[in-house]
Amino acid sequence: FMSFSKSCKGIGLRDGHILFAQATDMTGRQKDSVLDLDTGISNNNGQFVCGRGNTNYSHSGKDFQFKDGHLSGHLTDMRGRSQPSTINLDDFVSNDNGVLKFAW
C-alpha cells in the first residue's frame, strides 16, 4: 500500500479524530478524503493502540495533533492521569487510490 503521508497533501486533523487530506489516486489526481480515526484506534491505559476492534480514543483524551505522519495527544490512563502518547499513522493508514483507509 502507499504511505499516506507521502502521497497526500493538506493533511490535517479535525475534531481530534477526523483525519483529512487530498490523496493522490493512481492517475495522479488529488481527491479529498477523510478517515475517522476513532474507528480503528483506542486508548489502552494511556497509550494509542491501533487495529480491528480498537475504537474511540478521542473519548478519553485531549490535545490531539497531527504532525509528520504522527498522531499525538494526552490519553487518560487507568488511574485517571493524563499520559502523553504518539502513534505513527503511516504504520496503520494507507492511501488506497485516493481514499484514506486503515491498512488491514
Side-chain angles (χ1 to χ4, degrees), residues 45-59:
N45 197 26
Q47 297 299 310
F48 289 114
V49 177
C50 189
R52 289 187 199 277
N54 290 295
T55 60
N56 297 328
Y57 73 87
S58 72
H59 297 198

Side-chain angles (χ1 to χ4, degrees), residues 76-96:
T76 305
D77 68 15
M78 293 169 67
R79 293 185 177 173
R81 295 176 299 196
S82 183
Q83 301 290 337
S85 186
T86 301
I87 190 169
N88 184 350
L89 292 181
D90 274 327
D91 292 341
F92 304 102
V93 176
S94 67
N95 171 4
D96 183 5

Side-chain angles (χ1 to χ4, degrees), residues 26-99:
M26 289 182 189
T27 66
R29 280 183 265 167
Q30 300 284 311
K31 298 168 78 173
D32 289 337
S33 186
V34 296
L35 177 63
D36 184 349
L37 298 176
D38 265 344
T39 63
I41 302 175
S42 65
N43 172 5
N44 183 356
N45 197 26
Q47 297 299 310
F48 289 114
V49 177
C50 189
R52 289 187 199 277
N54 290 295
T55 60
N56 297 328
Y57 73 87
S58 72
H59 297 198
S60 59
K62 61 183 180 180
D63 303 327
F64 299 113
Q65 298 177 2
F66 174 83
K67 184 177 181 185
D68 299 327
H70 292 77
L71 171 67
S72 62
H74 288 83
L75 297 172
T76 305
D77 68 15
M78 293 169 67
R79 293 185 177 173
R81 295 176 299 196
S82 183
Q83 301 290 337
S85 186
T86 301
I87 190 169
N88 184 350
L89 292 181
D90 274 327
D91 292 341
F92 304 102
V93 176
S94 67
N95 171 4
D96 183 5
N97 194 27
V99 178

